Amino acid sequence: MNIRNVDLNLLVYLNVLIDEKSVSKAANKLALTQPAMSNALKRLRDLFDDPLLVRASGSMAPTAKALALKPEIELLLKMAEEITQPTELFDPTSAKVTFRIMANDYLESTLIAPFITEQLSKNPGINFDILSPSDVNLQDMEKGTIDLAINRFNGLPRSFHQATVWRDNYCCLTHPNNQFLQQSSLEDYLKSEHIWVNRAGWGPEPAVTNKSGKQKLGWVDEALWQLEQTRKIRVFTRHYMIASLLCQSDKLIATLPRRQAKLLTTHTNLVISPVPFQIVPIEVKMIWSPLLHHASAHQWLRRELLEFAKTIADR
């Protein structure tokens, strides 16, 4: 095959066709007519001597050949984007852009919200779309449709770029009249009633249970399992901010990251005390797709967020 005889735009079309699994949807995404996209698919089939997409269950499914081509095409398009990308620097003061960031409410309140507040007056054309972990999956990140995901991650594909935002320790958040404050031993901790707060890194989170050692409940409970102990959980929640409302009961303890707990005490009469056992500190990371790594706007966002995180590291 002579490369001079190949329309390289066809590779762009094929990449979108595989993603959308629909000629009409791919045409809409590329601002083409449906006949033009159908003609492109015919040319692609002739080029690769393969149907590439076949109708199945009311939609179009990529063939094995198409799936094998997909990573190679993405790599080629990424290289083409880098080669043709303008070298001019990103100017945040005049830019019109929306950044999409995934974070749970711990990081929304302690990092993202103050960062956005600082940007509002300095860079009036920069907007933000904040998504929760249940809104995002790995495929969104791989495609670069989400700029950054910021969380504590247990495992990630090697293709993602990453940087450490900060490390945070745990502490106990309670009402000042909670009996735990009188004698804050491990025994007293285990006798108390607790609020479970945890978030998975991606997608919908399954139901949790504290009745079986086969399914661990999160980082706090994993530390207790190491001591062959379990705590008495009265409330399960996936949202950190609700802990301040629940802790208005003087019977409940929330074991939270210290930055989140300190923020909650600024708006309430709640108090912080040490956790009476060792928990591995949280390492919060930001991750992003290799498709965005060289984009000047994205480089600016990463740099600004990391620098801002340093200014609130000890708050």
Side-chain angles (χ1 to χ4, degrees):
M1 184 188 301
N2 192 327
I3 190 67
R4 289 179 295 180
N5 298 328
V6 177
D7 180 356
L8 295 181
N9 285 320
L10 289 174
L11 299 181
V12 177
Y13 301 160
L14 179 56
N15 192 49
V16 176
L17 280 164
I18 296 172
D19 283 340
E20 298 297 330
K21 300 179 180 64
S22 164
V23 170
S24 59
K25 289 180 180 179
N28 288 335
K29 190 166 186 178
L30 292 168
L32 296 174
T33 64
Q34 186 163 338
M37 182 56 72
S38 296
N39 181 58
L41 178 56
K42 180 181 181 301
R43 294 168 64 196
L44 283 161
R45 285 167 169 167
D46 293 339
L47 179 64
F48 291 105
D49 193 25
D50 188 90
L52 298 175
L53 286 101
V54 295
R55 191 161 299 280
S57 302
S59 64
M60 301 195 76
T63 65
K65 175 73 171 179
L67 294 175
L69 287 169
K70 184 75 161 67
E72 302 294 336
I73 292 172
E74 287 181 338
L75 180 61
L76 181 61
L77 294 179
K78 175 177 176 291
M79 292 174 59
E81 182 182 357
E82 291 175 6
I83 291 170
T84 59
Q85 185 177 333
T87 57
E88 61 187 57
L89 295 176
F90 175 73
D91 182 3
T93 61
S94 60
K96 303 291 184 183
V97 62
T98 297
F99 292 116
R100 307 184 76 203
I101 302 173
M102 184 281 274
N104 61 26
D105 60 332
Y106 155 50
L107 291 159
E108 276 185 315
S109 57
T110 56
L111 174 63
I112 305 300
F115 174 74
I116 291 175
T117 301
E118 184 183 78
Q119 297 296 324
L120 291 178
S121 58
K122 294 195 305 183
N123 303 311
I126 295 181
N127 302 316
F128 295 89
D129 182 6
I130 311 304
L131 301 101
S132 71
S134 60
D135 299 324
V136 178
N137 57 43
L138 281 171
Q139 288 70 38
D140 296 322
M141 292 298 303
E142 289 170 343
K143 294 176 183 177
T145 57
I146 308 299
D147 290 286
L148 293 173
I150 308 176
N151 210 332
R152 176 178 179 173
F153 300 101
N154 289 330
L156 292 169
R158 291 184 178 180
S159 60
F160 285 165
H161 295 277
Q162 59 181 273
T164 296
V165 176
W166 64 39
R167 291 176 175 82
D168 204 356
N169 295 305
Y170 281 93
C171 65
C172 294
L173 182 72
T174 62
H175 190 277
N177 295 334
N178 193 302
Q179 289 297 311
F180 172 69
L181 296 174
Q182 305 304 315
Q183 288 185 306
S184 303
S185 67
L186 175 59
E187 182 180 358
D188 295 297
Y189 182 90
L190 297 174
K191 288 179 180 177
S192 301
E193 297 180 332
H194 294 266
I195 305 163
W196 178 95
V197 191
N198 201 47
R199 246 309 340 159
W202 308 100
E205 185 168 287
V208 295
T209 174
N210 60 354
K211 297 180 180 178
S212 169
K214 295 181 181 179
Q215 185 174 7
K216 297 181 181 179
L217 300 178
W219 301 301
V220 174
D221 299 280
E222 285 180 10
L224 285 171
W225 273 95
Q226 296 297 318
L227 303 173
E228 298 184 348
Q229 302 289 347
T230 58
R231 56 180 176 162
K232 190 187 304 180
I233 299 172
R234 288 294 303 276
V235 182
F236 293 86
T237 180
R238 280 80 179 160
H239 303 283
Y240 288 88
M241 292 299 289
I242 199 175
S244 62
L245 300 175
L246 294 170
C247 282
Q248 292 303 319
S249 165
D250 61 10
K251 298 184 181 301
L252 292 172
I253 299 174
T255 306
L256 304 175
R258 179 169 293 275
R259 286 181 180 83
Q260 177 74 80
K262 288 178 71 174
L263 178 64
L264 295 177
T265 61
T266 62
H267 305 293
T268 66
N269 63 340
L270 302 179
V271 296
I272 291 173
S273 60
V275 179
F277 56 96
Q278 288 191 337
I279 307 177
V280 176
I282 294 173
E283 182 176 19
V284 173
K285 292 186 176 182
M286 68 166 61
I287 65 169
W288 61 95
S289 167
L291 297 176
L292 298 173
H293 185 65
H294 297 283
S296 59
H298 202 270
Q299 290 175 338
W300 174 87
L301 174 64
R302 301 193 310 259
R303 183 173 60 251
E304 288 292 307
L305 255 175
L306 289 172
E307 287 300 314
F308 184 79
K310 293 177 184 176
T311 69
I312 59 174
D314 298 319
R315 290 185 188 180

